[in-house]
């Protein structure tokens, strides 16, 4: 295994093998280059280990639960073993339930459907839309963006102190921002929630791929995350945590698998007895390959060792941040400041550039894939850009004139599969674009900035 050496002298191990690491893409200026995938915060490439595990299982694919055949029995065992593996990865409590879903968004919408009557929800405006929006049918208190971790805890404590002390309450918070990469004080927020009789759900979509996540150590009531950000290749997710609200709620979807017993009533209708296990919210044929791929990713990350993965990521973060700091026109977006601990997610704007134009040039002229826009966290990005929170603007639209402030930013994100060369090429490309400008002309097409033909 190859190694790099950090400025501190610490040995940094090579990236984990991922799919697509040798893919080449054409450049508008001619020729081809190996693609630098630096959009991990949206979807991380699948680990080669995960893909190999899924390929080995694929010939044995069969229906899950209740099937009498060998392949059905094998698939059922694999599905339920995947549930136990993921629960172990999250360090769940013995009586927690783990439900396989389609994504973080699906998981949080499921929990929103399971809220007790008259539940009050507290959520910071800084959340990704997946954790900001599902609570529309509850009494929601949106909390202003904090500027320090301590302020986040104090803001929540004040809001909870003013709530109805007798009704149920839920706090929803991210573990790591999908915009700034900054880590949130989850353990302290959980303590504040519990001190005021509230529960807390952790959106770990950006945290779980980068850091170990323990339900028990963080003392959260639920955790949600997506497989496609955890180096798993299929549309699957997880909601894990306390069983009581989930067992008391109507099934998320009504159908086979969720029902234990269905009978006809004398009035001509049907009577249904629902499962109380995780199956209650897993109606229909489950995504066994998706569940297995998540479990495989959990095993791969655990075996690689999070200490090693975190050390490598910090090395890459320093490479990117120090490189961007050499460009005066670049402003990195942050809530908590330069010294805040963070994962490999960095958003920035470039003076004199529309962000969509800049991201398009990185792709078309350098073969570097980043993201531009508001990152499904519109209130947060508008706060960081200093814009009027009521200002309307299409995410990623490059209509702003050169030099005019636009309501979007550029995000570079990376992780366990990112080689040094990709972040070095990115930093050099930023410097070259700022210094020399784009080599190609670009135009707006369907709200996107694209190379002019």
């Amino acid at each position: 295994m190859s190694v790099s050496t950090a400025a501190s002298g610490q040995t940094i191990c090579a990236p984990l093998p991922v799919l697509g690491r040798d893919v080449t893409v054409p450049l508008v200026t001619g020729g081809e280059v190996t693609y630098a995938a630096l959009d991990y915060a949206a979807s991380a490439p699948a680990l080669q280990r995960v893909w190999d595990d899924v390929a080995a299982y694929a010939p044995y694919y069969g229906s899950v639960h209740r099937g009498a055949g060998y392949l059905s029995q094998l698939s059922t065992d694999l599905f339920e073993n995947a549930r136990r593996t993921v629960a172990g990865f999250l360090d769940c409590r013995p009586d927690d339930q783990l439900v396989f879903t389609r994504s973080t968004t699906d998981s949080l919408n499921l929990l929103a459907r399971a809220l007790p009557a008259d539940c009050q929800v507290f959520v910071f405006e800084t959340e990704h839309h997946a954790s900001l929006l599902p609570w529309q049918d509850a009494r929601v208190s949106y909390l202003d963006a904090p500027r320090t971790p301590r302020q986040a805890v104090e803001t929540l404590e004040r809001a909870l102190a003013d709530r109805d002390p007798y009704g149920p309450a839920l706090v929803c918070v991210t573990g790591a921002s999908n915009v700034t990469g900054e880590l949130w004080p989850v353990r302290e927020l959980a303590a504040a929630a519990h001190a005021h009789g509230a529960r807390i759900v952790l959106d770990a979509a950006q945290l779980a791929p980068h850091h170990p996540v323990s339900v028990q150590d963080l003392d959260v009531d639920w955790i949600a995350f997506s497989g496609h950000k955890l180096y798993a290749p299929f549309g699957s997710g997880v909601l894990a945590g306390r069983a009581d609200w989930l067992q008391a709620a109507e099934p998320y979807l009504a159908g086979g698998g969720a029902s234990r017993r269905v009978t006809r009533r004398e009035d001509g209708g049907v009577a249904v007895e629902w499962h109380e296990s995780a199956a209650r919210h897993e109606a229909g044929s489950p995504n066994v390959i998706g569940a297995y791929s998540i479990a495989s990713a959990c095993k791969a990350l655990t075996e690689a060792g999070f200490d090693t993965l975190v050390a490598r990521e910090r090395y890459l973060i320093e490479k990117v941040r120090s490189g961007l700091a050499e460009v005066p026109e670049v402003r990195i977006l942050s809530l908590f400041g330069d010294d805040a601990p963070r994962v490999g997610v960095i958003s920035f704007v470039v003076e004199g550039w529309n962000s969509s134009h800049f991201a398009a040039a990185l792709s078309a002229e350098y073969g570097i894939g980043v993201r531009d826009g508001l990152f499904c966290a519109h209130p947060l990005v508008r706060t960081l850009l200093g814009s009027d929170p009521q200002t309307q603007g299409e995410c990623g639209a490059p209509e702003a004139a050169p030099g005019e402030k636009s309501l979007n930013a550029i995000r570079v994100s990376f992780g366990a599969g990112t080689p040094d060369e990709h972040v070095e090429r990115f930093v050099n490309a930023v410097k070259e674009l700022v210094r020399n400008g784009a080599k190609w002309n670009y135009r707006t097409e369907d709200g996107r900035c694209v190379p002019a033909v």
Side-chain angles (χ1 to χ4, degrees):
M1 176 179 288
S2 62
V3 297
S4 302
T5 303
S8 63
Q10 183 179 13
T11 299
I12 304 298
C13 292
L16 299 183
V18 294
L19 294 182
R21 58 190 177 274
D22 298 323
V23 168
T24 60
V25 294
L27 303 179
V28 293
T29 51
E32 292 186 341
V33 67
T34 302
Y35 184 63
L38 296 177
D39 193 17
Y40 275 49
S43 285
L47 288 172
Q48 185 67 54
R49 151 78 177 273
V50 174
W51 190 259
D52 291 344
D53 282 350
V54 169
Y57 161 67
Y60 300 93
Y61 177 85
S63 63
V64 178
H65 299 144
R66 298 172 302 282
Y70 178 81
L71 297 191
S72 291
Q73 294 293 313
L74 180 69
S75 295
T76 298
D77 287 346
L78 182 142
F79 184 73
E80 294 303 333
N81 282 331
R83 195 189 308 276
R84 287 187 283 272
T85 295
V86 179
F89 178 78
L90 297 174
D91 190 26
C92 289
R93 295 165 290 254
D95 55 351
D96 281 343
Q97 280 192 354
L98 189 144
V99 181
F100 284 115
T101 66
R102 293 176 295 180
S103 60
T104 308
T105 302
D106 197 37
S107 296
L108 293 171
N109 274 271
L110 189 166
L111 184 60
R113 287 274 299 272
L115 295 181
D118 203 32
C119 185
Q120 188 170 4
V121 177
F122 297 85
V123 56
F124 286 93
E125 67 172 353
T126 48
E127 292 292 308
H128 185 281
H129 294 172
S131 47
L132 185 72
L133 301 180
W135 322 105
Q136 300 297 312
D137 293 334
R139 292 186 296 146
V140 187
S141 294
Y142 295 105
L143 309 179
D144 292 340
R147 286 299 183 168
T148 66
R150 182 65 237 167
Q151 189 180 72
V153 177
E154 292 170 349
T155 298
L156 179 62
E157 287 176 334
R158 285 194 300 270
L160 290 171
D162 292 337
R163 81 176 186 91
D164 178 355
Y166 300 106
L170 177 71
V171 176
C172 180
V173 67
T174 189
S177 171
N178 78 303
V179 177
T180 67
E182 293 163 318
L183 299 179
W184 277 62
V186 177
R187 188 179 294 104
E188 293 82 357
L189 291 167
H194 295 151
H196 289 275
R199 296 189 180 190
I200 186 168
V201 56
L202 171 64
D203 175 352
Q206 299 296 338
L207 182 63
H210 303 274
H211 282 263
V213 177
S214 167
V215 169
Q216 297 191 68
D217 182 53
L218 295 173
D219 197 22
V220 294
D221 297 281
W222 292 278
I223 183 170
F225 72 89
S226 294
H228 71 99
K229 299 185 192 298
L230 195 80
Y231 310 100
F234 300 98
S236 52
V238 167
L239 176 67
R242 303 202 181 277
D244 54 349
W245 286 9
L246 299 177
Q247 290 175 344
E250 289 296 305
Y252 187 45
L253 296 173
S259 55
R260 184 198 304 271
R261 185 167 178 263
V262 180
T263 58
R264 289 293 300 272
R265 297 196 307 256
E266 291 184 1
D267 63 4
V270 295
V272 185
E273 179 184 348
W274 303 106
H275 281 294
E276 293 187 356
S277 65
R280 184 184 190 88
H281 299 292
E282 293 177 342
S285 297
N287 181 1
V288 59
I289 289 182
Y292 183 46
S293 68
I294 289 181
S296 174
C298 290
K299 289 179 181 178
L301 293 175
T302 300
E303 291 169 6
F306 270 107
D307 288 345
T308 299
L309 298 176
V310 169
R312 173 172 176 75
E313 187 167 303
R314 286 175 178 162
Y315 163 70
L316 294 179
I317 291 170
E318 178 56 28
K319 264 184 176 290
V320 173
R321 287 179 62 86
S322 61
L324 294 180
E326 297 174 1
V327 186
E329 294 84 353
V330 169
R331 176 167 71 94
I332 295 176
L333 304 182
S334 176
L335 271 177
F336 300 154
D338 290 342
D339 295 332
R342 64 192 73 234
V343 299
V345 179
I346 299 168
S347 295
F348 62 98
V349 291
V350 183
E351 182 181 348
W353 283 81
N354 177 274
S355 295
S356 290
H357 185 194
F358 200 90
L362 285 173
S363 174
E365 300 178 28
Y366 297 91
I368 298 170
V370 297
R371 172 127 337 183
D372 67 278
L374 300 177
F375 317 127
C376 291
H378 295 189
L380 172 56
V381 178
R382 288 191 170 113
T383 293
L384 295 172
L385 293 178
S387 66
D388 186 324
Q390 304 304 319
T391 301
Q392 297 299 313
E394 183 179 355
C395 181
E399 283 84 0
E404 180 182 337
K405 183 171 67 175
S406 59
L407 283 178
N408 56 0
I410 306 153
R411 184 182 70 191
V412 57
S413 53
F414 40 88
T418 304
D420 293 20
E421 186 274 330
H422 286 187
V423 298
E424 291 165 358
R425 182 165 20 130
F426 164 76
V427 170
N428 290 334
V430 170
K431 293 178 179 178
E432 188 171 310
L433 278 173
V434 172
R435 182 175 62 248
N436 302 328
K439 302 173 185 175
W440 205 261
N441 292 323
Y442 295 81
R443 62 185 175 83
T444 300
E445 181 178 291
D446 297 327
R448 299 294 308 163
C449 194
V450 297
V453 178

